[in-house]
Amino acid sequence: MFCMTVSYPIKEGSQFDHIYYRENHLPLCEQLFSDYGYKGNILRTDTGRSPTGHPCEYASVDLLFETSEGLQAAVVAKGAEVSADVPQFTNVTPRVVFSKIVTCT
């Protein structure tokens, strides 16, 4: 399984609409990526903490795909459409990281 992690760091003067993100943006991702082996997501809110205990990110989501090829194809085919929706819920530039998921027992 492969993962695209998208996180939204908290910065001075930034805003983030959690309701729009959960109710509109993530369903949009699911709809657009469904033909590319999209398996679902893991959403975390108020993630990461600074040494003073303040949250570092508004949210972080792992978008899960069956294959690396499917993930890459989804980003190429639908990434611009997903990115165009970002200003609807935040003025933060998201950080994006790609990784392979390995489970340990």
Side-chain angles (χ1 to χ4, degrees):
M1 189 151 330
F2 290 82
C3 177
M4 177 171 58
T5 301
V6 183
S7 57
Y8 300 88
I10 297 172
K11 298 189 178 198
E12 187 174 333
S14 64
Q15 54 82 23
F16 191 93
D17 184 339
H18 287 276
I19 294 170
Y20 183 94
Y21 186 69
R22 282 190 317 272
E23 293 181 3
N24 297 284
H25 188 72
L26 290 178
L28 174 67
C29 293
E30 181 176 346
Q31 174 191 358
L32 294 175
F33 294 155
S34 65
D35 292 337
Y36 300 92
Y38 177 73
K39 303 302 286 178
N41 69 67
I42 300 168
L43 173 62
R44 293 174 299 280
T45 59
D46 297 325
T47 59
R49 298 281 171 179
S50 71
T52 59
H54 293 91
C56 296
E57 297 174 332
Y58 290 108
S60 179
V61 65
D62 294 328
L63 302 168
L64 308 173
F65 289 81
E66 289 179 13
T67 66
S68 174
E69 295 80 14
L71 170 53
Q72 291 172 18
V75 170
V76 169
K78 302 297 182 176
E81 194 170 344
V82 170
S83 294
D85 189 53
V86 171
Q88 299 299 317
F89 61 90
T90 190
N91 60 349
V92 172
T93 300
R95 288 187 297 229
V96 180
V97 177
F98 300 92
S99 57
K100 180 178 182 177
I101 297 174
V102 179
T103 58
C104 300
T105 56

